[in-house]
Amino acid sequence: MKPNGVGFRGAPDRRTILSRREFLAASSLFALATMAGGCRTPGVTLGGEPVIDIHQHVGYSGRPDDVLFAHQRAMGVTKTILLPAGRDARSPATHQGVANGLQANCLGNQACRRFAQAHPGKYFYAANEVPTLEDAVPEIERYLKLGAVMVAEQKFGVECDSAEMQRIYDLAAEYRVPVLMHWQHGMYNYGFERFHRMLEKHSRTIFIGHAQTWWANIGGNLNDPSVLYPKGKVSPGGLTDRYLSDYPNLYGDLSAGSGLNALTRDEEFARGFLRRHQDRLLYGSDCNDWAGAGAVCQGAQTLAAVRRLAPSKPIERKLLYENAHRLFKL
Ligand SMILES: [Zn+2]
Ligand SMILES: [Zn+2]
């Protein structure tokens, strides 16, 4: 700003000094404000507690990479696992291409690996491929050798006990990484009611259940398997609850609208469920919004639900961090 000089004859130096002081004062205020702002950022706060998100995607519904990065920070996530799509294919397993990009424009192995490499220590990646492709196993294995921490997201129109899927279960056991499966009646991974046979036969494989049919079966009152988001009171004895109780090689992914619905439809039941399976449930977001907070961000709402419903602080820490930290060695 240009000094007008009026009434300030002989005072320009003082003005300069004052300006410098003002500048320094403003700078420290700015620094304080930044720190305070940082403290309000969920990523840095809640006592600086770390959170692992086991379920995000690169290119999700066209979301740019820098927006994904900011989204995860806004949610307060400190480590994220990126789940690739398989390659584009037109076959029964992809419903003639409908399932390409995990049905949401998600990108594949290479894009996830690149994103993780650009943010070491913060982002990790899984390996994936359409299971019915002839070279599915070598393609997944290539990325496991490079450092992928899981086989995911398996979201294809295949029988859960098909020869192709069993090859993938064996590969995962060999590399000691979990396989994450998207269960959706009539669409992805058929035969949830027979899945116990796979859990028994592939007892060295760690399985992670996810999505509508997995979470719809939290209750025993599921009369129609095509109801993907059942509401209201949960009656005990659900297949998912029983599987988790009976098979130590099975984990649950709390992500997506299905996970949030299962937690919130009957909060009293949810508290007991979280207590029963406290060592084998994992926080994931799987949301495609750009905000990372508020009503549009289902991942932020799932975080809030876990914090509200976990029966104790130690259990909350297991669900949001410790179980994934142990399972994926992150
Ligand atoms: Zn999914
Ligand atoms: Zn979100």
Side-chain angles (χ1 to χ4, degrees):
M1 191 194 292
K2 193 179 170 190
N4 63 20
V6 179
F8 284 94
R9 196 175 304 154
D13 281 352
R14 212 158 88 214
R15 276 180 67 87
T16 311
I17 290 162
L18 214 70
S19 308
R20 200 170 286 149
R21 274 199 203 126
E22 277 164 7
F23 171 74
L24 288 171
S27 305
S28 21
L29 276 175
F30 176 72
L32 281 170
T34 310
M35 281 168 70
C39 288
R40 276 198 296 273
T41 306
V44 192
T45 56
L46 274 154
E49 287 170 353
V51 173
I52 298 177
D53 179 351
I54 72 147
H55 197 135
Q56 259 297 353
H57 302 292
V58 175
Y60 201 171
S61 308
R63 182 171 56 190
D65 285 1
D66 57 337
V67 179
L68 165 62
F69 188 83
H71 174 277
Q72 294 303 96
R73 259 179 70 135
M75 279 201 308
V77 164
T78 46
K79 288 181 180 176
T80 302
I81 306 178
L82 302 167
L83 313 188
R87 90 187 70 162
D88 285 356
R90 293 184 70 83
S91 66
T94 65
H95 299 288
Q96 301 306 325
V98 171
N100 287 344
L102 300 173
Q103 214 183 331
N105 296 319
C106 300
L107 299 178
N109 291 325
Q110 204 181 18
C112 290
R113 176 169 148 78
R114 275 200 194 134
F115 192 106
Q117 281 184 311
H119 307 287
K122 283 197 171 105
Y123 284 81
F124 304 84
Y125 59 98
N128 203 14
E129 190 48 285
V130 182
T132 50
L133 291 176
E134 208 177 311
D135 61 344
V137 165
E139 172 67 6
I140 293 170
E141 188 167 17
R142 192 155 81 88
Y143 282 89
L144 291 176
K145 280 185 174 150
L146 289 169
V149 298
M150 165 166 49
V151 179
E153 176 182 351
Q154 278 293 308
K155 184 179 179 180
F156 302 100
V158 289
E159 299 290 344
C160 72
D161 44 8
S162 62
E164 290 91 345
M165 288 304 283
Q166 293 199 53
R167 280 199 320 236
I168 289 175
Y169 305 155
D170 287 336
L171 180 71
E174 195 184 319
Y175 280 82
R176 297 173 186 219
V177 294
V179 184
L180 186 146
M181 297 166 77
H182 176 117
W183 293 95
Q184 186 176 337
H185 180 77
M187 192 67 185
Y188 301 123
N189 290 311
Y190 315 133
F192 190 58
E193 66 291 345
R194 305 189 305 273
F195 186 48
H196 59 97
R197 292 185 200 153
M198 294 297 99
L199 290 164
E200 275 156 33
K201 183 174 172 189
H202 299 272
S203 60
R204 287 173 55 242
T205 304
I206 305 271
F207 295 89
I208 303 176
H210 152 73
Q212 296 95 328
T213 294
W214 167 266
W215 285 116
N217 279 287
I218 193 173
N221 47 353
L222 191 71
N223 299 319
D224 179 0
S226 66
V227 175
L228 296 178
Y229 297 92
K231 300 284 179 198
K233 209 110 184 85
V234 175
S235 29
L239 202 47
T240 296
D241 206 356
R242 285 188 278 143
Y243 280 169
L244 281 168
S245 297
D246 293 347
Y247 300 99
N249 55 328
L250 181 62
Y251 285 65
D253 165 7
L254 295 165
S255 75
S258 53
L260 183 57
N261 179 53
L263 288 176
T264 53
R265 58 181 279 207
D266 180 345
E267 297 203 339
E268 196 191 326
F269 183 89
R271 285 192 183 89
F273 183 85
L274 294 178
R275 184 187 294 282
R276 273 197 294 293
H277 308 300
Q278 58 181 276
D279 294 314
R280 280 185 283 118
L281 296 172
L282 308 153
Y283 170 72
S285 63
D286 192 20
C287 51
N288 62 359
D289 61 286
W290 290 34
V296 292
C297 181
Q298 161 265 301
Q301 289 173 58
T302 303
L303 263 180
V306 169
R307 288 186 169 124
R308 187 173 73 248
L309 298 170
S312 70
K313 186 69 183 176
I315 293 177
E316 179 207 296
R317 294 311 302 147
K318 286 182 183 184
L319 305 173
L320 298 183
Y321 179 77
E322 282 162 23
N323 292 343
H325 174 68
R326 187 187 68 241
L327 182 62
F328 297 104
K329 302 169 193 77
L330 303 185

